[in-house]
Amino acid sequence: MEYKTKSAIIGRKKRINQEDTKHPCFISLFSMNDPHKSGKVPDKIIEFDLIDRMDIYDLDISYLLSGNDLVINNLESLKVEQDDNFRLHISGKQKK
């Protein structure tokens, strides 16, 4: 699915069952850059229950050490696809 957005925060949530090898995760979409500095609520949150791996293609990203989240700024759109192997494939259009 493709989303029109300005920025995104990607993060991992705690596992409900500690024996699971996969993690729940989320992608929060915002209409501004650097949303982690604003304290504002996301425009949309996309949640995934069991993800093993996330592949991100051709995007400049920032890794926030304090929260272990990824921030992607200067987006025009973000494309997110989940395959049958518990993987997310993320790409998009970004102003450089």
Side-chain angles (χ1 to χ4, degrees), residues 28-69:
S28 297
L29 305 176
F30 296 87
S31 56
M32 73 189 92
N33 281 324
D34 295 321
H36 60 290
K37 296 178 181 179
S38 74
K40 294 200 176 180
V41 177
D43 299 325
K44 183 173 186 72
I45 299 174
I46 310 159
E47 296 187 89
F48 301 92
D49 292 328
L50 297 173
I51 298 298
D52 184 43
R53 176 177 164 160
M54 206 177 281
D55 295 328
I56 302 172
Y57 305 96
D58 302 323
L59 294 172
D60 291 332
I61 60 173
S62 298
Y63 175 57
L64 302 177
L65 293 172
S66 62
N68 290 317
D69 296 331

Side-chain angles (χ1 to χ4, degrees), residues 65-79:
L65 293 172
S66 62
N68 290 317
D69 296 331
L70 301 175
V71 175
I72 308 172
N73 283 317
N74 299 316
L75 288 169
E76 293 178 14
S77 64
L78 189 71
K79 187 175 181 181

Side-chain angles (χ1 to χ4, degrees), residues 7-41:
S7 67
I9 293 179
I10 301 172
R12 178 181 69 196
K13 295 170 31 175
K14 287 188 178 185
R15 290 180 283 195
I16 296 169
N17 181 355
Q18 294 303 319
E19 294 178 12
D20 274 340
T21 58
K22 295 163 185 54
H23 290 270
C25 65
F26 64 89
I27 301 174
S28 297
L29 305 176
F30 296 87
S31 56
M32 73 189 92
N33 281 324
D34 295 321
H36 60 290
K37 296 178 181 179
S38 74
K40 294 200 176 180
V41 177

